[in-house]
Amino acid sequence: MLLRPRLPALPNIRKPTGSFRLVGLAIVIGILTGLMVAIVQQFVVFAQRAMLGFAAERRVALPDHASFLRIALALACSAFLVTLLSHLIARWKTKEPIDAVEANALNGGRMGWYDATGVVIPILASVCFGASVGIEAAVTQLGAVLASRLGRRLNRPRSDLRLLVAVGAAAAIAAAYRAPIAGMLYAYELLLGTFSRRTLAPIGLGAIAAVITIWLLLGQVRPFSLETGPGTSWSDYPLAVLIGVIAAFAGIVVMLLVSAIERLLKRYLKDEILRRLSAALLLTALATRFPAVLGSGHAAIEHAVSGDIAGRHALGLLAAKGLASAASLGAGFRGGLFGASLMIGALLGQVLAWVLTLIPGAPAWSPALCAVIGMASVGASVIGSPLAMIFLVLETTGDFDATIVVAIGALTASFLTDRLFGYSFATWRFQQRGLAIEGGHDISRLEAAAIGEIIKPPKRAVMANASLEEVHRALSTAGARGTAVYAVDGTFLGLIDPRLVETIEAESVDLPVVAAELVYESGPIVTPAASLAEVLDIFRSDDRATLAVVGFEDRNKIVGCIRARDAFALASSLLDTQRREDLGVGSWK
């Protein structure tokens, strides 16, 4: 009898769950963010034409009708406007608005419209009038806040909120540069700090949706188009290492220069409006010789790569742009260094290509290739996202051979900046504010965890005048779950310290000891509002097995007890959950 072969059973197809809704939400965020980026970019161009008489984002030379007096007045107006906005925002709320990296690291992705208003409007008030800053921080903030608010409106959990904030930031960078892969990697490197398959679809599709949206609105025109010229050769690899080393030092110098100018101005000019006006005068003076210092400098990047800006002109513009951006940020104008770092890097590459031609017998290196290596390398040093910079060049040039050389330079610059300085520009500013943030890793989960589930009532209770024998009997049944001591009027006096009981029992002398003398020494007060991180800090600093939790208003009333083992077990569970989420292990909810 022949047996028919059994066909393998078809695998069970999972029903659509929250993961599908999350991907759909990410696509919606990408579309809305792409729309906002298009609006912001067009608004900046319109405002610059209205205020300066020309669009600084699209020019490297002044038109014939340009007036330096008008430029000076526009920058002075920006100084007054940014100062006024800063005071109004400070009166609105005392806390400073947080950006996307800080929100993901400390707030579990929770952001509000105040964070968008407090960051975006001062940036627009700076760059629209010609300050030497970029708008990337503004569009990234808009995308992140939009994503966070939508996630909170839909009651998404903490892990999803952090992911959605990363989606918003990725979509913003992708739309701004029409580079979806660069936007994705920017989110992984700065907003999440880790990669997992769970996050790939939402971030990737959100970034692609943003790019498609801005293509439909503004056409498939990139902020700049880069051509690297002929193919690469073996001599380009040591060149990339050299440029990466120099770019690392250039990036560190720019970051330190911002802080140095800030300290210098605060020391000699106490009024913040005077600090911004002094920077406005400096920018006007620099613009008389190098107009490309105004705005973010996207137009200058393309001209530097193409060779239109080269030699001594590139050297002068390099110094002027570095000083202008550092002065703008150090004086209090708002914005970022994303676009500025790309421009500085492209100019640095052109300068190095020019210098190398002066060396007898040196190979004929391509100035365009040097420019794109410098662009990615300085960007990796300042922004702290080398992979995003590498793929930004790949998506902009379409040259795979050049991308390999660019990767060598960017990775070299990133490594040296990390070893020699230890910060990107964002994390450097966090450190100056006293925040120990090194990226978007979730370092606040324990601070946000409540302790309600581990608060238990004390196992036993004794009166203050209870004898040592009664205390011993209570401890023998209560163990680490706590033995509370009460006064005659019902006031809570504390928890019995088992170590004191053991010490007294070990003595041969029979001492007349009562329960009130055997409680823990006074320590930190713990209420139900305390976080798990605070409780863990107490247990680490004070070797006790149990903590008493007292009431909010009446500190003489005990709410319950927390055992050290329960606190550390909860912390371990939360951290394990976080690791599983970071790795994408387990099902989506």
Side-chain angles (χ1 to χ4, degrees):
M1 180 178 179
L2 296 176
L3 296 177
R4 294 182 180 179
R6 295 182 61 185
L7 295 176
L10 293 176
N12 293 328
I13 304 298
R14 293 182 180 178
K15 295 180 180 180
T17 59
S19 59
F20 289 84
R21 291 191 293 271
L22 186 62
V23 171
L25 181 59
I27 294 174
V28 172
I29 291 171
I31 294 172
L32 294 177
T33 302
L35 175 63
M36 290 191 298
V37 171
I39 293 173
V40 169
Q41 288 182 340
Q42 295 305 302
F43 174 76
V44 168
V45 171
F46 170 79
Q48 286 180 345
R49 284 174 176 162
M51 302 303 167
L52 300 172
F54 61 96
E57 297 296 306
R58 298 181 177 178
R59 302 189 66 94
V60 293
L62 293 178
D64 295 336
H65 63 272
S67 168
F68 292 111
L69 177 60
R70 184 172 180 176
I71 294 174
L73 290 175
L75 288 168
C77 289
S78 177
F80 283 103
L81 182 57
V82 173
T83 303
L84 176 62
L85 290 171
S86 299
H87 284 294
L88 291 176
I89 292 170
R91 293 185 63 181
W92 181 10
K93 285 190 178 181
T94 55
K95 71 168 188 175
E96 292 186 7
I98 61 174
D99 67 3
V101 177
E102 185 178 348
N104 262 12
L106 299 180
N107 281 21
R110 297 176 66 87
M111 303 178 74
W113 293 119
Y114 165 73
D115 299 313
T117 305
V119 171
V120 174
I121 294 181
I123 290 177
L124 294 180
S126 299
V127 71
C128 289
F129 290 80
S132 188
V133 293
I135 63 171
E136 291 80 9
V139 295
T140 301
Q141 188 79 351
L142 281 174
V145 171
L146 170 67
S148 179
R149 293 298 302 172
L150 286 176
R152 292 173 62 184
R153 186 70 178 268
L154 297 175
N155 296 318
R156 303 303 301 184
R158 179 189 183 92
S159 59
D160 286 357
L161 279 183
R162 296 183 68 251
L163 174 56
L164 291 175
V165 168
V167 170
I173 294 297
Y177 289 92
R178 282 60 161 179
I181 300 178
M184 292 166 55
L185 294 172
Y186 175 87
Y188 281 121
E189 291 180 291
L190 295 184
L191 276 298
L192 293 178
T194 186
F195 169 82
S196 70
R197 289 188 304 167
R198 172 184 181 270
T199 59
L200 182 58
I203 293 178
L205 293 176
I208 293 171
V211 173
I212 292 175
T213 301
I214 204 165
W215 277 348
L216 293 174
L217 294 173
L218 303 180
Q220 296 187 26
V221 179
R222 300 181 184 275
F224 44 80
S225 180
L226 307 181
E227 297 292 339
T228 57
T232 59
S233 63
W234 289 107
S235 61
D236 295 329
Y237 297 108
L239 172 67
V241 175
L242 174 64
I243 295 177
V245 172
I246 298 175
F249 286 100
I252 294 172
V253 167
V254 170
M255 290 185 278
L256 292 177
L257 187 59
V258 173
S259 300
I261 291 177
E262 184 177 11
R263 289 194 300 268
L264 184 67
L265 292 177
K266 286 183 177 180
R267 180 177 180 181
Y268 293 103
L269 298 174
K270 303 302 181 182
D271 192 344
E272 59 180 305
I273 184 63
L274 294 179
R275 295 197 291 268
R276 294 189 176 97
L277 285 174
S278 64
L281 290 176
L282 176 61
L283 287 174
T284 304
L286 292 174
T288 60
R289 179 66 180 87
F290 302 103
V293 300
L294 300 175
S296 62
H298 286 169
I301 297 173
E302 185 171 354
H303 284 275
V305 174
S306 65
D308 295 335
I309 302 176
R312 291 184 177 86
H313 186 200
L315 178 61
L317 182 56
L318 171 64
K321 181 61 177 179
L323 179 60
S325 295
S328 297
L329 294 172
F333 287 104
R334 299 290 188 260
L337 281 178
F338 198 111
S341 65
L342 298 180
M343 176 180 169
I344 291 171
L347 293 170
L348 177 65
Q350 274 289 352
V351 169
L352 290 175
W354 170 60
V355 171
L356 291 174
T357 59
L358 304 178
I359 301 176
W365 283 301
S366 166
L369 181 61
C370 292
V372 294
I373 295 173
M375 182 179 76
S377 299
V378 175
S381 174
V382 174
I383 307 303
S385 53
L387 292 178
M389 296 298 106
I390 293 168
F391 277 85
L392 177 62
V393 171
L394 173 60
E395 293 179 282
T396 307
T397 64
D399 190 335
F400 288 92
D401 291 337
T403 303
I404 297 174
V405 181
V406 167
I408 295 174
L411 295 176
T412 301
S414 176
F415 172 78
L416 288 178
T417 303
D418 182 61
R419 294 297 94 192
L420 300 178
F421 188 57
Y423 306 103
S424 65
F425 181 67
T427 56
W428 173 238
R429 302 296 277 182
F430 288 143
Q431 294 294 327
Q432 292 182 311
R433 289 169 49 197
L435 299 175
I437 300 176
E438 297 182 359
H441 302 84
D442 190 357
I443 61 174
S444 63
R445 188 171 291 244
L446 298 183
E447 283 83 352
I451 59 174
E453 63 181 278
I454 57 175
I455 299 177
K456 308 294 182 184
K459 182 69 174 179
R460 294 293 301 273
V462 296
M463 299 303 295
N465 57 358
S467 65
L468 181 59
E469 183 179 354
E470 291 176 294
V471 171
H472 185 271
R473 285 199 303 268
L475 280 177
S476 64
T477 56
R481 292 185 59 180
T483 300
V485 179
Y486 294 94
V488 177
D489 59 358
T491 301
F492 171 67
L493 299 179
L495 295 177
I496 292 292
D497 185 353
R499 295 168 300 180
L500 285 177
V501 177
E502 292 176 2
T503 301
I504 293 175
E505 287 182 338
E507 296 179 359
S508 57
V509 182
D510 187 13
L511 299 175
V513 179
V514 294
E517 300 172 314
L518 298 173
V519 298
Y520 284 108
E521 295 181 1
S522 59
I525 297 175
V526 179
T527 67
S531 68
L532 179 59
E534 294 171 337
V535 171
L536 292 176
D537 288 339
I538 296 173
F539 279 126
R540 291 189 186 104
S541 60
D542 191 346
D543 187 19
R544 61 176 68 188
T546 312
L547 275 178
V549 182
V550 298
F552 291 107
E553 299 177 356
D554 188 359
R555 300 298 171 86
N556 294 321
K557 180 182 179 181
I558 185 172
V559 175
C561 303
I562 297 177
R563 294 188 299 176
R565 57 183 292 186
D566 292 338
F568 284 105
L570 177 59
S572 177
S573 174
L574 291 173
L575 294 177
D576 182 64
T577 301
Q578 178 178 331
R579 285 192 297 269
R580 292 173 65 86
E581 291 173 354
D582 290 341
L583 296 174
V585 178
S587 60
W588 294 34
K589 296 182 179 180

